[in-house]
Amino acid sequence: MSVLARGAIGAPVSRLEAVEKVTGAARYAVEHGADGVAHAVLVGATIARGEVLSVGAERALALRGVRAVLWHGNAPPLHEVSDGELNVLQSPRVAYRGQIVAGVVADTLELARQAADALEVKYAAEEHDVVLRADHPGLYKPEKVNPSFPTDTEDGDFDAEFAASPVRVDCTYETPAFHNNPMEPHATTASWEGERLVLYDSTQGASSVAETVAKAFGLEAGVVRVISPHVGGGFGSKGTPRPHVILAVMAAREVGRPVRLPVTRQQMFQVTGYRTPTIQRLRLGAEPDGRLRAIAHDVIEQTSTVKEFAEQTAVPTRMMYAASARRTTHRLVRLDVPTPSWMRAPGECPGMYALEAAMDELASACGVDPVELRIHNEPELDPETGRRFSSRGLVACLREGAERFGWAGRDPTPGARRDGAWLVGTGVAASTYPARRRPSQARARREADGRYVVGLAAADIGTGARTALAQIAADALEVELDQVRMEVGDSALPRAPLAGGSMGIASWGSAVVKACRELRARMIESPDGPVEVEVDTTPEVEGDEPLARHGFGAQFIEARVNAETGEIRIPRALGVFAVGRIINAKTARSQLIGGMTMGIGMALHEESLIDRAFGDYLNHDLAGYHVPACADIDDLEVAWVSEEDPHVNPMGAKGIGEIGIVGTAAAVTAAVHHATGLRLRRLPLTPEKVLPALADDRP
Ligand code: MOS
């Protein structure tokens, strides 16, 4: 692959839409919409399992300005789509508490809410089952895990190797459900313009929303246009359309007006997905020097009764370290809960927490430094496929991080450093995330004034993607950045994959480079005329050499644990990453910092608690679901090692949206162990878990 020469790429360019955003000129999904927009609210089930018997709408419809009440008794039939969450109002069955059972449309949002409160929904409730446990009789082996990995793998004789290993770790780790909380809640404005449908949607992928909605309503492809120039975060929760999108479209058709449907923060905890809770057993067998002989990672997690979502939690364990024998398994149980969904680094995030926590326990058991332990276990080739790595920068990250963090001379003794009431420790863990790309289309043209417009249906969900793509285009065109205008966030533009799997820039950038190079070639042929090209990278992507492509990182954390209150503070966090070429030093840093911050949240604060009686997540707002605030993040530093990888894409760049969250929680728990001597294997490490453990530990 011929990699672009560096020009605009690498520079710390501020977001091109920054002024629009800070002045409020940038429009988000609920800020669009023509005159006469009506307002819809969704009504969620108040039982976790059973049937809707009736929806009494008389009182609601009697309110002046209420336009419609939709429920399964009057909703239009939909074409079935593969995502069972999107079969909105198609049956009386209730699969989870909060599932949409009605939609109310009115002239104002306040009136729609009032009318929703006035609905009389009668149910036949059935007993529900909402608790994941390791001995659940409903556990089964799914056909595959997301997106299409084998459910189980077996390499060598794990049992024999583990039994023969002089040092063994056998631990079970638990993570709770986690909910995505992007700043901008999910929202859709739907407008039927004749037989055409226009959606202003807060989404990570305009093309795929347009296609899915068209399918659900039996419309020709191309009839639906999805516009989303600005999106206030997604983290996976806006990767695929959620059920409110379907309801908004139904409502707009019903009332013959554009309809705006915002999902409330509370409703997001029910209808926009979450990361499954996990129970993970890790077994590591090693030589006394820490060299691994056997690795087993057995995962238990949940899905719903309407859709199978099988998080690929043990998948990173298949490629991370060398070992003679390895086994990975995933088991699921269908509960009466909302379907889990995508959340930043699905698979790698929870899986690497458990693997890296176990590696830290192995380091203690062997008396080997945890940085060195990982270096000892570097594989030559991808252990799962036997393929070469396109590049593998883990060791470089560990060494660079150790140097910057001041790891040398660290006393490994746990519980040996005290500063008043605070116990102090440091920990390390590794990060990884795949560096893939998908086919994408793009177009490029030269304007009459000599400037360039480059467009594709990419999504800028707040990451700075628009800016990074403009930098890529400028270098591919060999012009200054201000000569390029990017058009993104509209399904009417050439089809592009969604902003997910950290593949956005790799996929879209490949198409932008191809379009810009072709445009340059065309301009040589016809130097004066208007020139436009449109390209598709399917042949390039399908022709990619079979290599193992991953980004890597190392995270170093200092933790202070208050022996009197159980409070944990993180005064220092450092992440060093090997992620190919950095396109934009400023926005890349933000992504990595954001990921690490989310990882600290996972370790210390975040936890969606299920209410067993009502069958719902009960801490469903930002007062009850704690994410890190500024005061929780002190000195957080991000760095990257230089890595040239000509095998990933023409930019030589690996995705950075997700790797920052991977490994952070394990580095925190390692630091907490170093501070206190405690192995706390259930996240998050809140004071109510830490304090009793400290008390138990006291002689
Ligand atoms: Mo990400 S969870 O692949 O949007």
Side-chain angles (χ1 to χ4, degrees):
M1 220 172 278
S2 80
V3 176
L4 282 181
R6 197 184 295 256
I9 285 180
V13 181
S14 294
R15 284 172 176 73
L16 299 176
E17 72 284 6
V19 172
E20 265 182 89
K21 280 184 173 166
V22 297
T23 57
R27 294 287 157 122
Y28 292 80
V30 288
E31 297 171 319
H32 290 281
D35 295 338
V37 70
H39 300 261
V41 300
L42 66 84
V43 179
T46 56
I47 61 167
R49 181 188 172 94
E51 290 207 349
V52 175
L53 298 175
S54 62
V55 173
E58 295 77 28
R59 285 201 300 137
L61 289 168
L63 294 166
R64 229 170 66 172
V66 174
R67 301 295 162 192
V69 172
L70 286 157
W71 63 294
H72 79 263
N74 65 5
L78 294 170
H79 294 246
E80 190 154 329
V81 290
S82 58
D83 183 347
E85 287 277 357
L86 302 183
N87 295 324
V88 177
L89 304 180
Q90 299 300 291
S91 107
R93 289 298 306 168
V94 172
Y96 60 87
R97 189 175 159 101
Q99 190 179 24
I100 298 176
V101 294
V104 177
V105 195
D107 290 347
T108 67
L109 183 60
E110 293 75 13
L111 193 52
R113 285 191 174 177
Q114 188 189 349
D117 286 342
L119 286 187
E120 293 165 58
V121 186
K122 290 212 169 64
Y123 299 95
E126 297 164 16
E127 212 170 301
H128 58 249
D129 177 6
V130 294
V131 180
L132 179 67
R133 30 180 248 264
D135 60 351
H136 198 291
L139 285 168
Y140 72 99
K141 179 183 170 186
E143 287 278 302
K144 58 177 177 61
V145 292
N146 292 330
S148 58
F149 290 111
T151 306
D152 295 355
T153 59
E154 183 91 49
D155 181 20
D157 187 343
F158 168 78
D159 293 321
E161 280 294 313
F162 186 66
S165 296
V167 184
R168 286 191 293 267
V169 165
D170 181 351
C171 295
T172 298
Y173 302 90
E174 290 182 43
T175 58
F178 297 112
H179 275 84
N180 274 316
N181 274 288
M183 292 263 280
E184 182 202 15
H186 295 59
T188 304
T189 301
S191 171
W192 286 90
E193 295 167 8
E195 278 309 299
R196 300 190 92 82
L197 173 64
V198 177
L199 300 179
Y200 292 94
D201 190 34
S202 185
T203 178
Q204 294 173 225
S207 299
S208 57
V209 172
E211 287 157 12
T212 305
V213 169
K215 213 167 165 195
F217 287 87
L219 302 167
E220 299 279 313
V223 165
V224 184
R225 179 175 176 194
V226 175
I227 304 173
S228 51
H230 304 291
V231 178
F235 308 109
S237 69
K238 295 172 183 169
T240 55
R242 305 302 308 177
H244 70 279
V245 179
I246 302 293
L247 185 63
V249 175
M250 278 183 182
R253 179 163 262 180
E254 179 70 20
V255 301
R257 283 162 60 183
V259 163
R260 184 179 289 168
L261 198 169
V263 180
T264 66
R265 181 67 59 184
Q266 289 85 351
Q267 288 168 339
M268 284 171 64
F269 282 79
Q270 300 174 313
V271 297
T272 64
Y274 62 99
R275 194 196 303 282
T276 176
T278 69
I279 303 168
Q280 305 181 54
R281 183 179 182 195
L282 254 297
R283 280 172 290 173
L284 302 177
E287 295 295 338
D289 67 359
R291 265 180 307 120
L292 285 162
R293 292 180 60 170
I295 306 175
H297 191 170
D298 299 300
V299 180
I300 289 171
E301 47 202 17
Q302 75 191 34
T303 189
S304 72
T305 60
V306 293
K307 182 187 176 184
E308 181 176 273
F309 185 94
E311 179 132 350
Q312 65 273 40
T313 303
V315 164
T317 299
R318 297 173 184 170
M319 52 64 65
M320 198 61 199
Y321 298 114
S324 348
R326 183 182 325 253
R327 173 188 295 165
T328 63
T329 68
H330 297 84
R331 296 295 176 268
L332 287 187
V333 59
R334 294 185 188 276
L335 298 176
D336 302 313
V337 293
T339 315
S341 184
W342 311 104
M343 184 167 183
R344 208 170 200 171
E348 274 74 14
C349 172
M352 286 289 283
Y353 155 64
L355 175 63
E356 291 299 290
M359 286 294 278
D360 197 66
E361 306 214 26
L362 181 65
S364 296
C366 296
V368 174
D369 177 82
V371 169
E372 295 307 318
L373 177 76
R374 286 158 174 103
I375 294 171
H376 286 347
N377 287 293
E378 266 288 282
E380 192 65 32
L381 300 170
D382 176 3
E384 186 182 17
T385 61
R387 290 176 179 172
R388 282 184 300 120
F389 287 95
S390 65
S391 56
R392 183 172 163 118
L394 177 58
V395 172
C397 293
L398 286 163
R399 295 223 189 277
E400 170 84 19
E403 175 72 36
R404 284 175 181 252
F405 195 76
W407 189 262
R410 171 183 181 263
D411 174 3
T413 318
R417 291 145 303 274
R418 197 167 177 133
D419 176 10
W422 295 92
L423 304 168
V424 183
T426 52
V428 64
S431 307
T432 189
Y433 198 78
R436 297 166 296 208
R437 61 173 178 164
R438 287 190 180 128
S440 178
Q441 300 171 4
R443 84 162 69 107
R445 69 170 184 271
R446 186 180 53 185
E447 301 277 68
D449 64 1
R451 291 161 57 131
Y452 300 87
V453 180
V454 180
L456 74 171
D460 190 332
I461 58 174
T463 54
R466 177 187 278 108
T467 310
L469 289 172
Q471 291 172 268
I472 293 166
D475 283 6
L477 289 163
E478 298 179 34
V479 300
E480 295 299 316
L481 184 60
D482 62 9
Q483 294 299 102
V484 177
R485 188 160 56 83
M486 279 311 299
E487 291 179 335
V488 298
D490 187 337
S491 68
L493 292 163
R495 189 185 192 289
L498 56 88
S502 296
M503 284 181 276
I505 288 299
S507 309
W508 309 323
S510 296
V512 165
V513 169
K514 186 175 181 182
C516 292
R517 282 176 174 168
E518 283 198 25
L519 184 67
R520 270 178 62 81
R522 204 75 68 77
M523 279 160 38
I524 292 166
E525 289 164 26
S526 57
D528 300 319
V531 188
E532 173 163 323
V533 299
E534 192 158 333
V535 301
D536 186 323
T537 59
T538 304
E540 287 80 5
V541 174
E542 285 178 351
D544 275 339
E545 204 184 332
L547 293 169
R549 296 175 175 82
H550 304 266
F552 291 91
Q555 308 223 13
F556 293 79
I557 294 276
E558 180 178 324
R560 291 164 70 88
V561 182
N562 192 299
E564 284 156 20
T565 65
E567 179 189 6
I568 299 175
R569 309 290 309 174
I570 307 294
R572 221 154 50 100
L574 166 69
V576 180
F577 300 92
V579 284
R581 197 184 263 186
I582 296 294
I583 306 290
N584 181 323
K586 184 184 252 180
T587 54
R589 186 170 173 276
S590 291
Q591 283 301 297
L592 295 165
I593 284 177
M596 288 174 65
T597 303
M598 223 162 146
I600 290 172
M602 170 186 182
L604 300 184
H605 313 296
E606 296 184 46
E607 176 172 30
S608 303
L609 291 159
I610 200 97
D611 181 320
R612 292 172 187 229
F614 288 104
D616 189 11
Y617 290 106
L618 59 84
N619 52 337
H620 53 225
D621 57 31
L622 295 176
Y625 185 92
H626 292 174
V627 297
C630 290
D632 295 305
I633 303 300
D634 204 330
D635 175 2
L636 197 165
E637 190 190 339
V638 158
W640 42 79
V641 298
S642 107
E643 182 175 81
E644 294 295 323
D645 190 330
H647 306 291
V648 282
N649 50 59
M651 297 77 66
K654 297 177 179 176
I656 48 164
E658 297 173 90
I659 193 169
I661 195 177
V662 181
T664 322
V668 171
T669 57
V672 168
H673 169 260
H674 188 229
T676 63
L678 294 173
R679 290 292 182 190
L680 299 167
R681 302 187 181 97
R682 249 183 72 212
L683 298 183
L685 305 189
T686 48
E688 64 265 30
K689 289 200 192 91
V690 176
L691 203 53
L694 281 170
D696 286 352
D697 205 44
R698 224 159 268 160

